[in-house]
Amino acid sequence: QSVLTQPPSVSGAPGQRVTISCSGTSSDIGAGYDVHWYQQFPGTAPKLLIFGTYKRPSGVPNRFSGSKSGASASLVITGLQAEDEADYYCQSYDNDLSALFGGGTKLTV
Amino acid sequence: QLQLQESGPGLVKPSETLSLTCTVSGGSISNYPYAWDWVRQPPGKGLEWIGSFYYTGTTYSNPSLKSRLTISMDSSKNTFSLNLSSVTAADTALYFCAKHDTRGSSYVVLDLWGQGTLVTVSS
């Protein structure tokens, strides 16, 4: 089972737009499985941010959006706010019937 | 509204079995077409999916842990449990229970999480 590949860190100024990438293989994202994104603040449980590649749970601002192309996916955050500073994880599924996470990306605002 | 809460020993000796329980409150664990998951996070590191127990009784496990892993459910206690045998220091982590809805087209959307419990493997 492989881990999805994310950049360790990204940064942006308030109001800017940042993109967090998530790279998989032909056995997971590239096989057509959806991608989900989670936001985690230090010392707390992850929170579902995006599911089904681009859908937002109720209460998640539309500043957060997701997309997928081939074996890669992206999380885009527009209008960055200080409160967005957190760790972000992508997650998908693979042909071995396993869920798998990316290594996580620390966003600094 | 469902809530999840992990419980269990915070310290386990090497080679022994790590046992954790997740208590589901706010509803009956067997009333929903859900799967009940375990996820862990070593200190300062990323998330790792451990496995799922489906309401049908089927379990799915991380291949890297499968040989040491048992996930079960106790409807009478409204809990589900994790047993990981032959632990080493590499199993030291914050362990989360979570759940996902088995309906829909997306797999393993973890939409509810417990707060997590830290388990340290040390003699």
Side-chain angles (χ1 to χ4, degrees):
Chain A
Q1 183 194 46
S2 61
V3 174
L4 304 174
T5 301
Q6 297 180 236
S9 63
V10 297
S11 63
Q16 285 190 335
R17 175 183 191 265
V18 295
T19 300
I20 299 174
S21 61
C22 175
S23 179
T25 70
S26 58
S27 297
D28 41 70
I29 299 175
Y33 296 110
D34 284 335
V35 179
H36 321 308
W37 293 89
Y38 300 85
Q39 178 188 56
Q40 185 183 32
F41 296 105
T44 70
K47 167 193 167 187
L48 181 65
L49 195 65
I50 297 285
F51 70 98
T53 301
Y54 58 86
K55 302 170 190 173
R56 285 186 305 275
S58 174
V60 173
N62 59 11
R63 303 186 294 105
F64 296 90
S65 63
S67 64
K68 185 180 83 165
S69 178
S72 295
S74 295
L75 172 70
V76 174
I77 310 173
T78 58
L80 263 184
Q81 299 181 4
E83 66 208 49
D84 298 332
E85 187 162 293
D87 294 325
Y88 292 84
Y89 293 89
C90 62
Q91 180 230 315
S92 188
Y93 197 72
D94 70 14
N95 289 333
D96 289 331
L97 307 183
S98 295
L100 60 164
F101 285 96
T105 298
K106 180 176 179 60
L107 168 63
T108 301
V109 180
Chain B
Q1 187 169 351
L2 288 179
Q3 292 184 317
L4 307 178
Q5 177 68 59
E6 306 87 351
S7 60
L11 180 64
V12 180
K13 290 182 169 56
S15 80
E16 295 190 344
T17 296
L18 182 160
S19 297
L20 295 175
T21 297
C22 183
T23 299
V24 180
S25 59
S28 173
I29 195 171
S30 56
N31 277 358
Y32 308 95
Y34 295 160
W36 307 95
D37 294 81
W38 289 97
V39 176
R40 70 180 183 180
Q41 184 172 35
K45 296 188 178 180
L47 301 170
E48 180 183 32
W49 178 76
I50 297 172
S52 301
F53 185 96
Y54 277 60
Y55 72 104
T56 56
T58 303
T59 58
Y60 295 91
S61 305
N62 185 321
S64 68
L65 300 171
K66 188 171 185 176
S67 63
R68 300 192 289 131
L69 182 66
T70 302
I71 300 177
S72 59
M73 185 173 82
D74 187 334
S75 299
S76 67
K77 296 181 180 178
N78 229 38
T79 62
F80 62 103
S81 298
L82 163 73
N83 283 290
L84 186 65
S85 63
S86 305
V87 297
T88 69
D91 295 309
T92 293
L94 185 59
Y95 284 77
F96 296 99
C97 59
K99 70 95 171 157
H100 71 267
D101 195 322
T102 62
R103 301 165 292 183
S105 58
S106 294
Y107 293 99
V108 193
V109 180
L110 300 169
D111 57 8
L112 181 66
W113 296 66
Q115 65 185 28
T117 187
L118 179 63
V119 179
T120 301
V121 178
S122 174
S123 56

